[in-house]
Structure formats: structure tokens, C-alpha cells
Amino acid sequence: MDEKKGFGYKLQKNPFLVVLLIVVIGVAIFMISTLSSALKDKIKQAEETTAVETTAATTVAVTEPDDTIAIDGLKKYSDKIVSVTAHKEKDRVALRVEYDKKESLLADHLADNAFSIDVVPMFCFYIDNGLQVKCPGELRLLDSGNVVMYYLSEVDDYVNAVGLTDELTVTLDNILNTGFNLYIEHKTNDGVGKTICGSYAQTVEDFNSKHAGKPAEVVDVAKGIKKVETTLSDEFIWVDIYYTDVDSYTSLNNDFITNFVVFGLEKGGKNFKRDFIVTEYDNLNMVRCKFDSYALKELAKEMDEPELTVKELFENYSISVWSTDYEKETALFSLNGSSDVMNNINTETTAAEGEETTISEAEVTEA
């Protein structure tokens, strides 16, 4: 009788098939193991590659140039200030000051809201064994409301001054490491201000109460001039002229089309005149008039006082200050008592021109 036999029965009757089945199963297990191992190796290699790339990217980010300026001994003069950081930009330095909240920032800036802030930041530096010099800056309130940026762009005045007095070379990289205070000064309320932060040993308020020099005697002040401040040393003088408004600022300076600010003095019956170098601060309606020891040399020679210093000149002589565009001259004020040097020089010039005309006419007549 034909009978269908199962696979198990055949294996029992045929040992060769048993061996073959074992071999096939072994090969299959080996192949699966190999593929699994290869897959694990591929995954591991991919993970290592990713880790290397991530590390490399992180390293590049860390080693990129950093514009942060480290300031030694920086102090915050309000417990509401969270942080102060300094940065160098293309042509200026910036201080970023963060407050705990917007209301704290407004209180420190003497304002009820952002639109009523009416202060100018002054970067105050200390040179020549304790002379305070002020460089006006700009400020910008960030959208968050509790962060304010202060910028110092006009650095040449300070660079030249400290070069003359202390023979230091100052750049944007080190300008905030020479000892400074950031002081906000109210534009319209004289004497109102506050030191925000700084690295100098004293605040501006403390320095002014203990070391401020005697202010210059300013008389015969033209209408439209609010105040005159001087910064004086043996090597240079700054005369800061603040005008009451933009109209006075422009009209008393001949609309800045062709304008010079000059000073004159009299000694022994002779009158002398020199030009100031002027920096214009339009946002403050202010001009800074500068004169230094290099410019003084020729004048001192003419005055027969070769050892004369800038400080002696502006403390010991009555000085007339006026603006001119060659045709029109406008008296501004006098230092150290009234002086009529401007009119005297004009009289001498007119007389000299008259003599030249007379001589010329005589020569023509004789011819």
C-alpha cells in the first residue's frame, strides 16, 4: 500500500538530511550574526563622525573673535543694575547696562517714561594726576525697556589730551581701562546727574566735591549762551560753550557755513589773536574749543614769554572769545574779567588797511 510519508519520518530514516539541515541552520545563524555586527559597526561609525563634527563646530564657535572688553575693577553704583558689559565696535566703544526692571532704569535716568529721558552720558576720564575730563556720548534704550546702551564715538579729544599730559597711547581697545566713570548729566537741569558705573576710585559726585577746581570767571556773555565750562592743564584747555537752543547755537556760529572761534588778549599794549580748534556737538548745542601747548609755542614767542604754559595763559590774562566768518565777528564772552581785545584788534586792522590805502594813493599820485 502506497502511503504518504511526512518530512519528520524522512529525517528519521535519512541521517544525511539531518546533517544538511543542521548545516543550513548554522549558516543562517552566522549570516544573521555577521549582518547584525556590521550594522552595529555602521551605527557606531556614524555616531563617532557626528561627534567629531559637533566638537569641531563647537570649537570654531568658541575661538571666533570676541568683541567683549574686560574692565578691571568695574563697579556698579545701583543695586538695581543686574550686569554691565563693554564691547568694541568698528569706530566706537559701547557699554551695555541691564537693570532688574524698566522702572529701575527710568528712576536712575531721572525720567517717568522712555520719552521723558533728557540726559546725556558723559564718559569721565582722569589724567594728569587727577584732572577730570568729560567726553559726551550717546545712549539708546533697547526694546526690552530694562537695558540701555551707552556709546562713546568721539574719542580724539581724550586721546590727544592724555597724550599731551601723560604721554599715553590710547585706542578703542584700552580706553575703558584707563580709569573712567559713566555719568549721566541732565541736559536742562544744571548740576543734576548720577554716576552709573565705572572703574575709577571715586564717583563723579565724590570727585567734584573733593577735587573740583575753581570754575573760570566768565563775563560779558552773549545772549543765547547758557553756560561755559573749562578744562585746563599746563598742556591744553577745553572751553565748552553751551547754547540755550539750536537757533542760538547756529546764529552765534554764523550757521556753521564758514565759522571760526578765536580768542585774543593784550600784553604791554600789544594785542594777540589765535584760533581755537573746534569740535561740534549738535545734539547738545555745544562747541568744544581747544588750544594746546604745541599751538602756544609761537604765541608765547611773540609775547616774549617762551616758558608760558597754557594754564598760565588762561589764568593770568583777560581773554576775549568771539566767532567770525572773516566778514562778520560776534562777541561771545570774556574770561578773567572784561576785555575789549576783539574791538581793539578790529580798530588796528582798519587803521592798518587805511595806512596801506593812503600810501598806495600817494604812490599813484607821484607816478
Side-chain angles (χ1 to χ4, degrees), residues 10 72 175 208 332 349:
K10 291 180 180 180
D72 297 331
I175 190 170
N208 289 342
L332 299 179
T349 302

Side-chain angles (χ1 to χ4, degrees), residues 126-131 161-162 165-166 232-236:
Y126 301 85
I127 64 175
D128 198 23
N129 293 319
L131 176 65
V162 74
T165 59
D166 299 1
L232 181 60
S233 76
D234 286 339
E235 300 296 332
F236 73 93

Side-chain angles (χ1 to χ4, degrees), residues 7-69:
F7 184 72
Y9 177 79
K10 291 180 180 180
L11 285 177
Q12 292 176 4
K13 296 297 182 178
N14 194 342
F16 175 76
L17 289 177
V18 175
V19 173
L20 180 60
L21 180 60
I22 293 173
V23 170
V24 169
I25 293 173
V27 170
I29 292 173
F30 176 79
M31 291 297 293
I32 291 172
S33 175
T34 302
L35 288 173
S36 177
S37 177
L39 182 60
K40 289 181 180 179
D41 289 341
K42 287 289 185 181
I43 294 173
K44 183 178 180 181
Q45 183 179 358
E47 290 176 345
E48 290 176 349
T49 303
T50 303
V52 170
E53 291 175 351
T54 303
T55 303
T58 303
T59 302
V60 170
V62 171
T63 57
E64 284 180 353
D66 192 351
D67 64 355
T68 301
I69 301 174

Side-chain angles (χ1 to χ4, degrees), residues 231-243:
T231 304
L232 181 60
S233 76
D234 286 339
E235 300 296 332
F236 73 93
I237 186 172
W238 293 350
V239 182
D240 294 343
I241 309 172
Y242 289 85
Y243 299 83

Side-chain angles (χ1 to χ4, degrees), residues 274-304:
R274 285 297 185 275
D275 292 346
F276 283 116
I277 296 175
V278 174
T279 303
E280 300 164 9
Y281 291 92
D282 295 341
N283 62 322
L284 299 177
N285 295 325
M286 184 265 275
V287 294
R288 170 165 289 171
C289 306
K290 298 165 288 187
F291 191 74
D292 62 32
S293 55
Y294 290 107
L296 175 64
K297 289 181 180 179
E298 187 63 29
L299 175 60
K301 183 178 179 181
E302 291 178 16
M303 293 173 63
D304 196 27

